[in-house]
């Protein structure tokens, strides 16, 4: 019973004949139209004067009365023409006046529901709120105006209506009148008066009635909007969440909007066959507002999804933003799998980015390499300054002292370029590793992902087998791409025409999050010039700065090879997880090839620096050993630095997990090359020291306090001259001084430094340099003997001249029958020559005093023998004089006596004995006691002159050759 009653009330409210009408019709409107037509057809020409017609002219205007305007502005203020707006949306309002009046608020058939549904179908909630405020203000303003209008014209309205009704009654009483006599009895004139009065009444009271009805409808509309304000506010709140990037609140608002829509739809069933019962008109309003809200939400969510897809495609792996974006899309619900879309876009990005980064780096390296090659070579002072850098490790930035500033800049560019490609943390390889780690988590299903609305996103949680296979193959392809880049970096020579690969390469890195297109690259002037011509026998390395020294080479190439080794291990580990065979072997080839090229390039600069090693000599004494200059210590520090750096490059012992199969042991060929280069560097360095001793470097330039970029010198190398000698400096203009210091340096090198360097090399490379050690020792001995003879040769020549002249002169022989009581002057001259040598040696290189004077004593004894041989015959006086001369020399220089000197002295006595007769021999035996007394007196008198020969010597004797 209740159901039938409810259905009847529903049909009555909506003016329906049945619960399932085939078309919409308004029974009241149809009835009114039919009554009008019937009324007009049945009444006379005077029917307009009837009470019903007259009263109708003062009611709310409609289409039939002709007082409804053809168009109106939107009462909510959104547009100036409602008809034009609806015409643009496809509603034929010009042809259908009744349909038009449903949207014009001046009409009595105005429908608020249809007005909101069609005119404001896409109006945002914020605009509706502003329209609501405008409408409320307008209603309040017009209510007061209408009240005043009604009060001021009410008397006129009553008087006019009374007059009209009186005239109408009077004419109705004269029923004898007919149509043909209307004008004769004044009906036509009266009718014109009536029409005029009717028009004036409409002008006065039409707006009053119109405004009152409009106010009621607007109040109804306002109440509907206020009742469902929470629904209308959802789009604004959702857009605010999007602007604030508050994705958690965004999902909440989206779920709230969806729930509001579902609740509204549940109040008014719209499915075919559903019973339209138990709902009110306000339910219809709620459904319309909810549907409108959902349309706006849909537009906002669609725009947000498009922006999210774009951001997801450009998202990096490291910041984990991709997981947030994927989660949002899965929460909102999407058709495409955001996980696969992101993985695919990330793969394409990595592939293109690696090529771009590498090609751009090659261009930048070649540009700077040509600038370095075209720069003037560094001066000798600059070379010496850089080669001394191993002894200046206390400085803030030691690597800046290794080479010229331009060379260091090129090294840093090369290292940073490879770091951008190969670093497992910050480089492109790091992005690849992070990408695969994330992809693996998706493949294994280890990532916690939202299931979305009604579990509709759960289907995206697992990747298809085809997609997984594509991911694996793509990752292997990127690994091969990185490997090819490294091989090209080490193996390919410098390009002759850089412009061919420069044009498509942007000058700055392309950011993965930037939408701006890179500027068109301009070709630098240096690239338009031809590549620098290589010298004969010189191999060009695109990865090695021209003219770079061994210190910068071993430092930066060591860092680069560690970078390559770590990258190879990381790629091999990842390839193992991919299940791909053969990748480790290819990476091993990459490492071995790059290492060999790097080692050969550094070895080349090693040998060049060994030839330049002579510039390390500044002829200042070492602080801890005044017998030598700083040269041996500087040379030792330089060689140690190179040996240590080469060991790190060859064995890559600083590479993490370097025992991996990806890091192969060095080949025998490579070790042989390094071994030979070490020996050659020693030879070249020693040769440079000998050249310094014979002919020092000529430095006619003024020593600056600072040097430009080409020189790269930060602190000056002091040139020593006699005018500025200090405590640790020597007079390098004196060749004898240079020879003595070089001999002392060689003595230190031979005894300590070179053996230590050989031992260090043997330990570093696990080899025994047995043959090389012997060869190096022999070479050091030959060089030492060469310099020793070169220093002593002029002294020996002078002694030879003194002895020969003194003994062979006729005045040497004492008068016949006299006894020798004094050594001849030539002995004093020879000994004074040795005093001068002793003074020079002890003040320059004290450690050489014993070997040099011992050698000179040997040569003096030899020259005495040769001179006496030329006399052949000796009488007693000559025999005594010769014996006195020889013994005085032996006793004065007894501290420097050697076995060889004693041997020469023994031969002198044999020669004297052979040239003497029996009488002279017997006389000599009788005079020996007196001769000893004479020698003692002579030694006593000459003590001051030859006191230097009696000083104790701390240095060891020179080894006999």
């Amino acid at each position: 019973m209740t159901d039938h009653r409810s259905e009847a009330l529903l049909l009555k409210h909506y003016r329906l004949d049945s619960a399932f009408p085939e078309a919409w019709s308004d029974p009241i409107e149809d009835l009114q139209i039919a009554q009008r037509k019937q009324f007009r057809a049945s009444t006379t020409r005077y029917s307009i004067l009837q009470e019903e017609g007259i009263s109708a002219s003062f009611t709310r205007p409609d289409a039939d009365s002709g007082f409804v305007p053809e168009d109106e502005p939107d009462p909510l203020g959104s547009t100036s023409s409602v008809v034009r707006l609806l015409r643009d949306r496809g509603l034929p309002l010009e042809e259908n006046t009744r349909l038009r009046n449903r949207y014009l608020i001046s009409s009595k058939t105005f429908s608020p529901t249809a007005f909101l549904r069609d005119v404001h179908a896409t109006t945002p909630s914020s605009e509706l709120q502003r329209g609501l405020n405008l409408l409320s203000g307008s209603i309040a303003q017009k209510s007061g105006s209408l009240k005043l209008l009604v009060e001021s014209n009410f008397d006129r309205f009553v008087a006019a209506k009374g007059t009209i009704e009186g005239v109408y009654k009077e004419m109705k009483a004269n029923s004898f009148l007919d149509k043909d006599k209307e004008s004769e009895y004044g009906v036509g004139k009266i009718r014109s008066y009536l029409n005029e009065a009717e028009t004036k009444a409409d002008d006065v009271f039409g707006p009053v009635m119109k405004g009152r009805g409009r106010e009621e409808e607007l109040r109804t509309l306002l109440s509907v909007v206020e009742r469902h304000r929470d629904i209308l506010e959802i789009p604004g709140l959702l857009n605010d969440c999007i602007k604030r990037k508050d994705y958690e609140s965004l999902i909440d608002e989206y779920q709230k909007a969806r729930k509001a829509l579902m609740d509204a739809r549940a109040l008014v069933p719209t499915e075919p066959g559903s019973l339209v019962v138990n709902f009110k008109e306000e339910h219809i309003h709620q459904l319309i507002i909810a549907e409108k809200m959902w349309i706006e939400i849909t537009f906002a969510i669609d725009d947000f999804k498009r922006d999210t897809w774009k951001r997801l495609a450009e998202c990096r792996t490291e910041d984990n933003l991709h997981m947030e974006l994927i989660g949002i899309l899965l929460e909102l619900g999407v058709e495409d799998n955001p996980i696969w879309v992101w993985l695919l876009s990330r793969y394409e990005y990595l592939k293109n980015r690696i090529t771009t980064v590498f090609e751009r780096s090659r261009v930048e390296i070649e540009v700077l390499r040509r600038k370095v090659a075209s720069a003037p070579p560094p001066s000798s002072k600059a070379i010496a300054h850089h080669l001394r850098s191993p002894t200046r490790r206390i400085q803030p930035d030691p690597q800046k002292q290794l080479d010229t500033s331009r060379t260091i800049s090129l090294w840093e560019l090369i290292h940073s370029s490879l770091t951008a490609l190969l670093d497992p943390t910050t480089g492109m390889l790091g992005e690849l590793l992070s990408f695969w780690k994330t992809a693996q988590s998706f493949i294994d299903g280890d990532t916690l992902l939202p299931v979305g609305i009604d579990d509709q996103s759960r289907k995206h949680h697992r990747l298809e087998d085809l997609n997984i296979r594509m991911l694996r193959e793509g990752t292997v392809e990127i690994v091969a791409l990185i490997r090819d880049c490294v091989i090209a970096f080490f193996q390919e020579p410098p390009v002759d025409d850089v412009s061919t690969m420069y044009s498509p390469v942007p000058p700055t890195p392309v950011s993965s999050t930037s939408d701006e297109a890179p500027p068109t690259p301009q070709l630098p002037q240096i690239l338009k010039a031809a590549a620098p011509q290589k010298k004969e026998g010189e191999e060009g390395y695109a990865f090695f700065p021209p003219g770079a020294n061994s210190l910068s080479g071993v430092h930066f190439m060591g860092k680069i090879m560690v970078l390559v080794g770590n990258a190879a291990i990381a790629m091999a580990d990842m390839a193992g997880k991919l299940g791909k065979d053969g990748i480790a072997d290819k990476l091993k080839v990459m490492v071995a090839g790059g290492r060999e090229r790097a080692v050969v390039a550094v070895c080349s600069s090693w040998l060049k620096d060994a030839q330049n090693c002579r510039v390390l000599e500044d002829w200042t004494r070492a602080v801890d050993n005044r017998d030598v200059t700083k040269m041996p210590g500087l040379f030792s520090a330089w060689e140690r630095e190179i040996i240590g750096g080469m060991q790190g490059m060859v064995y890559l012992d600083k590479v993490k997990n370097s025992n991996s199969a990806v890091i192969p042991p060095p080949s025998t060929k490579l070790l042989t090359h390094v071994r030979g280069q070490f020996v050659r560097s020693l030879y070249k360095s020693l040769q440079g020291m000998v050249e310094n001793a014979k002919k020092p470097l000529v430095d006619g330039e003024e020593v600056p306090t600072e040097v430009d970029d080409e020189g790269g010198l930060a602190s000056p190398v002091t040139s020593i001259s006699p005018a500025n000698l200090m405590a640790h400096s020597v007079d390098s203009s004196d060749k004898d001084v240079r020879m003595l210091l070089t001999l002392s340096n060689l003595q230190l090198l031979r005894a300590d430094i070179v053996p230590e360097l050989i031992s260090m090399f043997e330990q570093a490379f696990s080899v025994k340099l047995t043959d090389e050690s012997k060869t190096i020792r022999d070479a050091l001995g030959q060089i030492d003997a060469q310099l020793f003879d070169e220093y002593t040769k002029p002294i020996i020549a002078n002694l030879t001249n003194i002895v020969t002249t003194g003994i062979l002169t006729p005045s040497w022989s004492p008068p016949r029958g006299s006894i020798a009581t004094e050594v001849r002057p030539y002995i004093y001259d020879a000994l004074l020559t040795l005093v001068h040598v002793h003074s020079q040696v002890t003040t320059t290189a004290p450690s050489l005093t014993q070997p040099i004077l011992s050698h000179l004593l040997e040569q003096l004894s030899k020259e005495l023998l040769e001179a006496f041989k030329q006399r052949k015959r000796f009488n007693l006086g000559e025999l005594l004089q010769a014996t006195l001369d020889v013994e005085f020399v032996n006793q004065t220089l007894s501290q420097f006596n050697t076995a060889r000197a004693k041997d020469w002295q023994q031969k002198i006595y044999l020669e004297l004995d052979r040239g003497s007769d029996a009488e002279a021999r017997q006389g000599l035996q009788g005079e020996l006691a007196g001769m000893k007394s004479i020698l003692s007196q002579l030694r006593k008198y000459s003590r001051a002159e030859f006191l230097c020969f009696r000083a104790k010597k701390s240095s060891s004797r020179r080894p006999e050759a």
Side-chain angles (χ1 to χ4, degrees):
M1 183 69 179
T2 304
D3 293 340
H4 291 291
R5 183 178 179 182
S6 300
E7 182 175 358
L9 292 175
L10 183 63
L11 294 176
K12 179 181 178 181
H13 179 78
Y14 286 98
R15 302 167 186 172
L16 298 176
D17 297 329
S18 65
F20 305 97
E22 297 181 356
W24 171 259
S25 63
D26 193 338
I28 296 177
E29 280 190 337
D30 295 342
L31 178 60
Q32 291 176 350
I33 294 172
Q35 288 177 350
R36 284 194 206 101
K37 292 181 179 179
Q38 183 180 2
F39 180 79
R40 290 179 180 176
S42 61
T43 57
T44 64
R45 67 180 71 181
Y46 307 109
S47 60
I48 193 170
L49 299 178
Q50 293 181 358
E51 185 176 357
E52 292 81 2
I54 295 174
S55 63
S57 65
F58 293 100
T59 60
R60 184 185 179 112
D62 57 13
D64 294 333
S65 64
F67 289 99
V68 177
E70 294 182 358
D71 196 0
E72 283 183 348
D74 180 15
L76 298 183
S78 65
T79 179
S80 61
S81 174
V82 173
V83 174
R84 183 174 66 250
L85 176 64
L86 294 175
R87 183 181 63 236
D88 295 338
R89 296 183 179 178
L91 293 178
L93 300 185
E94 291 83 359
E95 298 81 8
N96 193 336
T97 304
R98 184 174 60 188
L99 178 62
R100 181 181 63 193
N101 291 344
R102 293 177 63 84
Y103 301 98
L104 300 180
I105 200 167
S106 301
S107 171
K108 70 176 184 179
T109 60
F110 172 75
S111 173
T113 303
F115 180 84
L116 286 177
R117 182 192 63 216
D118 298 330
V119 176
H120 292 282
T122 59
T123 305
S125 301
S126 57
E127 294 294 329
L128 284 178
Q129 184 64 40
R130 284 194 292 269
L132 177 62
N133 297 334
L134 176 65
L135 185 58
S136 300
S138 176
I139 291 173
Q141 182 180 1
K142 289 183 179 180
S143 296
S145 301
L146 291 175
K147 182 177 180 181
L148 293 175
L149 182 63
V150 172
E151 291 176 354
S152 61
N153 292 280
F154 187 75
D155 293 338
R156 296 180 184 179
F157 171 78
V158 173
K161 184 169 180 59
T163 302
I164 293 171
E165 288 179 351
V167 173
Y168 181 76
K169 290 179 180 180
E170 182 179 354
M171 294 199 58
K172 188 176 181 181
N174 298 326
S175 58
F176 55 88
L177 296 179
D178 57 12
K179 294 181 180 180
D180 298 334
K181 296 182 180 181
E182 284 183 1
S183 59
E184 298 178 3
Y185 294 95
V187 177
K189 189 175 182 179
I190 293 174
R191 184 173 184 178
S192 64
Y193 292 155
L194 292 175
N195 289 338
E196 183 179 356
E198 181 181 6
T199 301
K200 291 182 178 180
D202 286 339
D203 291 340
V204 173
F205 294 100
V208 176
M209 305 304 296
K210 178 181 177 181
R212 180 175 296 175
R214 193 173 180 184
E215 178 182 355
E216 293 176 357
E217 292 173 353
L218 291 177
R219 288 186 183 278
T220 302
L221 177 61
L222 178 62
S223 64
V224 172
V225 173
E226 286 290 345
R227 189 179 302 113
H228 302 291
R229 180 187 294 272
D230 56 339
I231 299 178
L232 294 173
E233 289 178 347
I234 294 178
L237 295 175
L238 186 137
N239 286 324
D240 183 63
C241 292
I242 294 175
K243 291 179 182 179
R244 292 186 291 105
K245 296 184 179 180
D246 186 357
Y247 302 130
E248 184 176 354
S249 299
L250 170 65
I251 299 300
D252 293 340
E253 293 298 329
Y254 181 72
Q255 296 284 8
K256 186 188 300 182
R258 187 172 180 274
K259 183 178 183 302
L261 177 66
M262 295 297 103
D263 292 344
R265 287 178 177 176
L267 294 175
V268 184
T270 57
E271 295 80 4
S274 61
L275 296 178
V276 186
V277 293
N278 293 333
F279 65 90
K280 305 176 182 179
E281 185 175 0
E282 64 181 32
H283 297 166
I284 301 295
H285 297 161
Q286 181 177 348
L287 177 60
I288 293 173
I289 292 176
E291 291 286 358
K292 178 188 176 304
M293 174 273 299
W294 185 250
I295 291 174
E296 189 171 347
I297 290 290
T298 301
F299 288 153
I301 290 297
D302 289 343
D303 291 341
F304 174 73
K305 285 181 179 179
R306 282 190 295 269
D307 180 68
T308 304
W309 280 116
K310 181 180 179 181
R311 293 179 60 195
L312 181 62
E314 299 172 350
C315 185
R316 299 171 65 89
T317 312
E318 304 81 46
D319 51 15
N320 289 324
L321 178 60
H322 65 285
M323 294 301 302
E324 185 177 11
L325 298 178
I326 289 173
I328 292 170
L329 291 174
L330 292 177
E331 284 279 11
L332 297 176
V334 287
E335 292 297 327
D336 296 330
N337 189 341
I339 298 174
W340 172 245
V341 170
W342 177 78
L343 290 173
L344 189 61
S345 65
R346 193 63 184 163
Y347 159 76
E348 293 293 341
Y349 163 78
L350 289 174
K351 185 177 178 181
N352 296 331
R353 178 73 171 154
I354 288 171
T355 303
T356 301
V357 168
F358 179 69
E359 293 301 328
R360 184 190 65 249
S361 299
R362 293 183 68 189
V363 171
E364 294 174 348
I365 291 171
E366 181 59 24
V367 170
L368 190 54
R369 195 190 71 84
R370 293 191 179 190
K371 289 182 180 180
V372 174
S374 60
S379 63
S380 297
K381 292 183 179 64
I383 295 174
H385 173 77
H386 299 314
L387 293 181
R388 287 189 179 97
S389 59
T391 62
R392 293 193 298 268
R393 292 306 191 195
I394 304 178
Q395 296 191 5
D397 195 358
Q399 72 180 26
K400 295 293 185 183
Q401 305 295 326
L402 296 176
D403 216 321
T404 65
S405 59
R406 284 182 176 173
T407 302
I408 294 299
S409 298
L410 180 52
W411 273 125
E412 290 176 343
L413 175 61
I414 294 172
H415 181 258
S416 63
S417 298
L418 284 182
T419 300
L421 179 67
L422 300 177
D423 192 274
T425 304
T426 61
M428 294 305 301
L429 176 58
E431 294 191 35
L432 175 61
L433 297 174
S434 180
F435 163 75
W436 176 248
K437 181 179 179 181
T438 305
Q440 187 66 52
S441 66
F442 287 132
I443 293 173
D444 298 337
D446 297 336
T447 306
L448 184 61
L449 298 170
V451 297
I453 301 173
D454 299 332
D455 282 357
Q456 61 179 347
S457 296
R458 192 179 295 276
K459 60 183 179 182
H460 297 319
H461 288 192
R462 286 287 184 175
L463 296 176
E464 299 179 359
D465 293 340
L466 176 61
N467 294 342
I468 295 174
R469 186 167 64 253
M470 292 174 63
L471 273 177
R472 295 181 186 276
E473 294 175 354
T475 305
V476 172
E477 182 181 354
I478 295 178
V479 170
L481 179 61
I482 295 177
R483 172 184 170 273
D484 293 341
C485 290
V486 175
I487 291 176
F489 173 79
F490 282 106
Q491 301 297 333
E492 293 184 3
V495 295
D496 293 330
D497 186 8
V498 186
S499 60
T500 57
M501 68 176 185
Y502 183 83
S503 299
V505 180
T508 56
V510 180
S511 174
S512 62
T513 59
S514 176
D515 296 332
E516 297 181 0
T520 304
Q522 300 295 326
L523 191 64
Q525 186 65 30
I526 193 169
L527 298 184
K528 300 178 182 178
Q533 296 294 326
K534 293 186 297 185
K535 297 180 180 179
E536 184 177 357
E538 180 184 6
E539 183 178 3
Y541 298 97
F543 63 89
F544 202 88
N549 63 32
S550 56
L551 291 173
S552 65
V554 79
H555 174 77
F556 284 98
M557 286 309 305
K559 294 171 64 176
I560 290 173
M561 287 311 304
V562 169
L563 187 65
V564 172
N566 287 331
I569 291 176
M571 288 188 288
D573 292 342
M574 183 176 63
K577 297 177 183 178
L578 292 172
K580 298 294 182 179
D581 299 330
I583 297 180
D585 294 336
K586 294 179 180 179
L587 292 173
K588 182 188 296 185
V589 173
M590 175 195 75
V591 174
R595 175 175 58 187
E596 183 171 349
R597 291 276 290 177
V599 168
V600 171
V602 174
C603 282
S604 178
S605 64
W606 191 6
L607 188 60
K608 181 194 68 175
D609 287 344
Q611 295 172 343
N612 293 330
C613 216
R614 60 180 300 193
V615 301
L616 289 174
E617 183 62 84
D618 61 357
W619 302 112
T620 57
R621 297 183 184 276
V623 178
D624 55 345
N625 186 356
R626 293 183 55 82
D627 283 358
V628 296
T629 65
K630 295 178 181 178
M631 173 68 174
L634 296 174
F635 168 74
S636 175
W638 170 70
E639 279 283 8
R640 286 175 177 276
E641 190 77 8
I642 301 301
I643 293 173
M646 291 297 296
Q647 191 268 345
M649 287 179 58
V650 170
Y651 292 100
L652 297 177
D653 49 3
K654 292 184 179 180
V655 175
K656 298 178 181 178
N657 302 322
S658 57
N659 57 349
S660 170
V662 181
I663 308 298
S667 63
T668 303
K669 177 183 177 182
L670 186 63
L671 289 176
T672 302
H673 182 76
V674 176
R675 183 174 180 172
Q677 208 74 347
F678 167 66
V679 175
R680 285 188 288 271
S681 71
L682 293 178
Y683 288 154
K684 292 293 183 181
S685 300
L686 294 173
Q687 184 179 357
M689 296 179 194
V690 174
E691 292 174 357
N692 277 341
K694 294 180 179 180
K695 185 178 181 181
L697 292 174
V698 178
D699 185 12
E701 300 176 354
E702 181 180 358
V703 180
T705 56
E706 294 183 358
V707 180
D708 57 8
D709 289 344
E710 285 76 9
L713 188 59
S715 59
V717 179
T718 305
S719 177
I720 305 301
S721 65
N724 60 2
L725 290 176
M726 294 183 296
H728 297 288
S729 60
V730 295
D731 184 6
S732 60
S733 62
D734 190 339
K735 182 179 179 180
D736 289 341
V737 172
R738 299 197 307 272
M739 298 288 284
L740 288 172
L741 286 174
T742 303
L743 281 169
S744 183
N745 291 343
L746 287 172
Q747 189 179 60
L748 178 62
L749 288 167
R750 186 180 182 185
D752 298 326
I753 293 178
V754 171
E756 289 176 359
L757 292 176
I758 293 175
S759 175
M760 178 181 178
F761 187 90
E762 290 177 339
Q763 294 177 4
F765 294 92
S766 302
V767 295
K768 292 297 292 183
L769 300 179
T770 305
D771 297 336
E772 290 86 348
S773 298
K774 183 177 182 302
T775 304
I776 292 172
R777 285 196 300 270
D778 293 343
L780 280 169
Q782 293 173 6
I783 293 172
D784 182 74
Q786 178 186 353
L787 287 179
F788 190 87
D789 290 342
E790 190 164 349
Y791 172 75
T792 58
K793 188 175 182 180
I795 302 173
I796 293 173
N798 186 29
L799 290 175
T800 300
N801 182 54
I802 292 173
V803 170
T804 302
T805 302
I807 292 178
L808 297 182
T809 185
S811 60
W812 178 80
S813 299
R816 184 172 293 277
S818 63
I819 302 298
T821 59
E822 185 70 56
V823 296
R824 292 304 184 193
Y826 79 94
I827 294 296
Y828 288 104
D829 292 340
L831 290 177
L832 288 176
T833 299
L834 295 181
V835 168
H836 173 72
V837 173
H838 183 278
S839 175
Q840 186 180 53
V841 174
T842 54
T843 57
T844 304
S847 61
L848 297 177
T849 303
Q850 183 72 29
I852 288 177
L853 289 181
S854 296
H855 178 70
L856 292 177
L857 175 59
E858 294 172 359
Q859 296 301 316
L860 178 58
S861 300
K862 180 181 178 183
E863 295 304 325
L864 287 172
L865 174 62
E866 295 297 329
F868 286 136
K869 282 183 178 180
Q870 295 182 35
R871 294 193 68 91
K872 296 182 180 179
R873 298 294 177 188
F874 303 94
N875 57 31
L876 178 59
E878 293 173 342
L879 183 59
L880 291 173
Q881 186 66 52
T883 303
L884 186 62
D885 291 346
V886 172
E887 283 299 320
F888 186 81
V889 170
N890 291 341
Q891 292 183 17
T892 302
L893 299 176
S894 61
Q895 297 293 333
F896 306 102
N897 217 339
T898 64
R900 181 173 295 179
K902 292 178 181 179
D903 183 60
W904 288 118
Q905 294 162 12
Q906 186 65 30
K907 290 180 180 179
I908 291 173
Y909 291 128
L910 292 176
E911 184 64 28
L912 292 175
D913 184 70
R914 186 169 30 276
S916 303
D917 53 16
E919 182 183 357
R921 294 189 193 98
Q922 291 177 359
L924 176 63
Q925 293 297 325
E927 297 292 339
L928 286 178
M931 185 179 296
K932 290 180 180 180
S933 177
I934 294 173
L935 281 173
S936 177
Q937 291 295 327
L938 292 176
R939 290 286 308 282
K940 182 179 179 181
Y941 296 151
S942 63
R943 183 184 301 274
E945 289 86 346
F946 305 123
L947 182 62
C948 61
F949 297 139
R950 297 176 61 87
K952 294 182 179 180
K953 311 301 178 185
S954 58
S955 58
S956 59
R957 292 178 176 269
R958 176 180 174 81
E960 297 183 5

